[in-house]
């Protein structure tokens, strides 16, 4: 404020690492100093004298706190994108380790159709890709500067708000001073992104819990991510996957706390907004930790290919027979009903579809030709889904390459943000 004071301020030389004293825990916080900003000003006064009193000119705690929170959120969102990329890379690595493995695909937790294991993993890669996209979009909305808004009405000084925003690495300035000091949408959005990422982690954790159980037995977890029972020596509990699943509700609660906090606040700043930080910090800390540990856990998973492939056969090929009949001109509804009768016959006689002969099939319908048994193969069923987004090996290989490229683009974005 004033050219002579600006020049004097530029001549001040603060010790090179003095700004690290607070992060290093070397500052004793004094209750007489109201907040972090007054602590910074007090330290500056000790270094440069009364000139430090200029620091608060054209500022209010309202726009300063709004700025602080935006700086925190943008950094946390960058870390969130980085952790999401880490989970995606772990999933892609697992898919590359088992490129031809076949597992049962499920609906209603009932065996439905065989799919490549890599195809199943890529479904989660897509979920986390959407999470990363949402985090990047939220970053843009958080990364604007409210400085210059003052308490709520703006300030009566000729400030260059855009210059200050650029110095802070921000992409613009807020358009309305009242909104700037009252807005916490960016915090809610960050917690929502975290909550939805936790939802996806929870679904993945649930499948790891189920698929590693004795009843399924498809997956083996590394001992580092399990615990034993205090009384049953045979137990190997998937605790990390369970904890991730359990912590999802905690992040949902943080999101609801923020929404409830904001729902009835009049403009502009209200002291209620002091309560925005515990749920924000907790949600992001929880999500970041869960993403990190999940990526590590995924890197150690082992698939029992033999058991999974056996489960993918059984009666899961019924749809192949119905599709075969439909291609031969039988209306699909009629084909569906007919194959349902074949399945019931197999269950009654302890047979599986793959064991049926052409003569046995023709006993049910003359529409079955000599080539009918060729579709009763898990590999053939997987290969037949040869459309973009399908589970055919060539389509999955292309999807794996595309997903790898998208994660590489995310890493490039992170590099630009200094992550």
């Amino acid at each position: 404020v004033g050219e002579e004071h600006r020049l004097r301020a530029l001549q001040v030389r603060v010790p090179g690492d003095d700004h690290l004293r607070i992060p290093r825990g070397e500052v004793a916080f004094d209750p007489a100093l109201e907040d972090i900003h007054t602590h910074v000003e007090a330290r500056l006064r000790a270094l440069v004298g009364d000139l430090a009193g200029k620091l608060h000119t054209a500022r209010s705690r309202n726009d300063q706190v709004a700025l602080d929170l935006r700086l925190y959120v943008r950094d946390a969102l960058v870390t969130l994108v980085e952790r999401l990329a880490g989970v995606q890379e772990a999933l892609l690595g697992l898919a590359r380790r088992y490129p031809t493995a076949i597992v049962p695909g499920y609906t209603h937790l009932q065996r439905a159709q065989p799919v490549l294991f890599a195809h199943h993993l890529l479904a989660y890669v897509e979920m986390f890709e959407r999470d990363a996209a949402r985090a990047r979009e939220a970053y843009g909305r958080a990364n604007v500067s409210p400085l210059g808004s003052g308490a709520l009405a703006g300030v009566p000084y000729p400030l260059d708000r855009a210059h200050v925003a650029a110095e802070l690495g921000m992409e613009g300035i807020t358009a309305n001073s009242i909104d700037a000091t009252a807005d916490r949408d960016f915090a809610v959005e960050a917690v929502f992104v975290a909550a939805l990422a936790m939802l996806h982690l929870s679904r993945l954790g649930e499948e790891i819990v189920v698929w590693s159980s004795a009843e399924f037995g498809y997956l083996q977890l590394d001992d580092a991510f399990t615990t034993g029972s205090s009384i049953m020596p045979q137990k190997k509990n998937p605790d990390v996957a369970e904890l991730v699943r359990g912590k999802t509700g905690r992040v949902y609660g943080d999101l609801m706390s923020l929404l409830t906090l904001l729902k009835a606040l009049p403009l502009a700043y209200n002291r209620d907004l002091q309560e925005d930080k515990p749920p924000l910090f907790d949600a992001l800390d929880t999500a970041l930790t869960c993403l990190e540990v999940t990526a590590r856990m995924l890197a150690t998973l082992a698939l029992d290919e033999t058991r999974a492939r056996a489960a993918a056969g059984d009666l899961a090929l019924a749809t192949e027979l119905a599709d075969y009949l439909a291609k031969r001109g039988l209306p699909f509804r009629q084909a569906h009903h007919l194959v349902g009768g074949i399945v019931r016959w197999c269950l009654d006689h302890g047979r599986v579809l793959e064991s049926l002969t052409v003569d046995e099939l023709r006993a049910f319908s003359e529409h079955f030709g000599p080539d009918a048994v060729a579709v009763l193969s898990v590999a053939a069923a997987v290969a037949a889904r040869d459309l973009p987004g399908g589970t055919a090996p060539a389509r999955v290989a292309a999807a794996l390459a595309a997903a790898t490229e998208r994660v590489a683009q995310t890493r490039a974005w992170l590099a630009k943000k200094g992550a």
Side-chain angles (χ1 to χ4, degrees):
V1 181
E3 185 66 11
E4 71 283 4
H5 293 301
R6 188 184 73 84
L7 292 173
R8 285 176 57 199
L10 289 174
Q11 294 168 3
V12 172
R13 293 292 180 265
V14 176
D17 66 346
D18 199 78
H19 64 291
L20 299 176
R21 295 179 75 246
I22 290 176
R24 289 196 301 239
E26 296 172 3
V27 173
F29 287 98
D30 183 356
L33 299 174
E34 187 170 1
D35 56 23
I36 189 63
H37 305 106
T38 48
H39 277 80
V40 170
E41 185 175 329
R43 175 60 183 165
L44 189 59
R45 186 179 297 276
L47 293 170
V48 303
D50 290 343
L51 183 60
K54 296 286 186 179
L55 187 63
H56 198 62
T57 306
R59 295 185 184 181
S60 163
R61 281 193 300 271
N62 294 359
D63 63 356
Q64 282 185 286
V65 168
L67 173 70
D68 295 344
L69 208 58
R70 286 178 179 274
L71 292 172
Y72 168 80
V73 166
R74 78 170 186 185
D75 289 350
L77 286 169
V78 169
T79 306
L80 188 66
V81 172
E82 192 276 331
R83 298 285 171 84
L84 287 164
V87 171
Q88 288 180 297
E89 288 164 343
L91 288 164
L92 293 171
L94 193 56
R96 293 188 195 98
R97 279 167 48 202
Y98 299 99
T100 61
I102 296 175
V103 300
Y106 290 86
T107 62
H108 309 281
L109 206 55
Q110 305 294 317
R111 294 174 188 171
Q113 293 176 284
V115 298
L116 287 182
F117 182 50
H119 190 57
H120 191 90
L121 295 172
L122 284 169
Y124 285 104
V125 173
E126 292 299 318
M127 295 181 205
F128 294 122
E129 181 66 24
R130 293 193 295 271
D131 292 329
R134 275 184 283 267
R136 290 193 296 270
E137 292 165 5
Y139 176 96
R141 283 185 282 275
N143 196 32
V144 292
S145 173
L147 280 185
S149 298
L152 80 158
V155 296
Y157 300 95
L159 304 180
D160 188 342
R161 294 188 65 206
H163 173 76
V164 173
E167 287 287 306
L168 293 168
M170 295 185 132
E171 298 168 9
I173 61 174
T174 52
N176 182 282
S177 60
I178 298 176
D179 178 58
T181 55
D183 174 35
R184 294 298 184 270
D185 289 2
F186 61 92
V188 174
E189 190 171 12
V191 174
F192 169 73
V193 172
L196 196 48
M198 288 297 298
L199 182 154
H200 297 145
L201 283 179
S202 183
R203 296 184 74 176
L204 177 58
E206 168 71 5
E207 292 204 325
I208 290 172
V209 169
V210 171
W211 284 24
S212 64
S213 68
E215 285 71 18
F216 283 68
Y218 307 156
L219 293 177
Q220 292 292 326
L221 283 164
D222 188 89
D223 289 349
F225 300 94
T226 65
T227 62
S229 166
S230 60
I231 61 171
M232 294 171 282
Q234 82 281 8
K235 294 286 294 297
K236 186 176 180 179
N237 300 324
D239 277 20
V240 169
E242 291 175 346
L243 285 168
V244 169
R245 186 178 61 186
K247 286 180 180 293
T248 299
R250 175 173 173 167
V251 178
Y252 290 175
D254 291 329
L255 177 59
M256 188 54 64
S257 292
L258 269 179
L259 291 170
T260 305
L261 173 70
L262 296 167
K263 74 176 184 65
L265 289 186
L267 296 176
Y269 182 84
N270 296 270
R271 195 56 182 265
D272 310 49
L273 291 174
Q274 180 174 294
E275 292 301 308
D276 59 3
K277 290 148 199 74
L280 174 65
F281 296 161
D282 181 71
L284 291 171
D285 286 347
T286 300
L288 293 174
T289 301
C290 288
L291 285 165
E292 182 178 18
V293 74
T294 297
R296 295 183 183 182
M297 176 173 59
L298 288 169
T300 70
L301 285 182
L303 176 71
D304 186 332
E305 296 185 64
T306 301
R307 183 160 179 165
R309 187 184 182 95
D314 196 8
L315 298 174
L317 297 173
T319 306
E320 309 312 309
L321 280 182
D323 286 333
Y324 173 88
L325 292 171
K327 290 175 182 177
R328 302 270 292 192
L330 199 66
F332 185 81
R333 289 296 183 190
Q334 188 176 340
H336 183 281
H337 178 74
L338 192 154
V339 173
I342 297 175
V343 169
R344 284 191 295 274
W345 184 90
C346 285
L347 291 171
D348 291 342
H349 292 80
R351 300 283 296 279
V352 294
L353 289 174
E354 287 178 279
S355 70
L356 297 179
T357 66
V358 173
D359 290 339
E360 286 173 323
L361 289 173
R362 289 185 64 82
F364 289 95
S365 172
E366 62 183 17
H367 287 86
F368 287 114
D371 60 343
V373 293
V375 304
L376 293 177
S377 154
V378 171
V382 169
R385 270 65 191 170
D386 191 20
L387 287 173
T391 192
R395 299 296 182 176
V396 173
L400 184 59
T404 301
E405 175 58 27
R406 288 200 306 270
V407 176
Q409 292 171 0
T410 297
R411 287 293 181 189
W413 182 88
L414 287 165
K416 291 180 180 178
K417 303 303 178 187

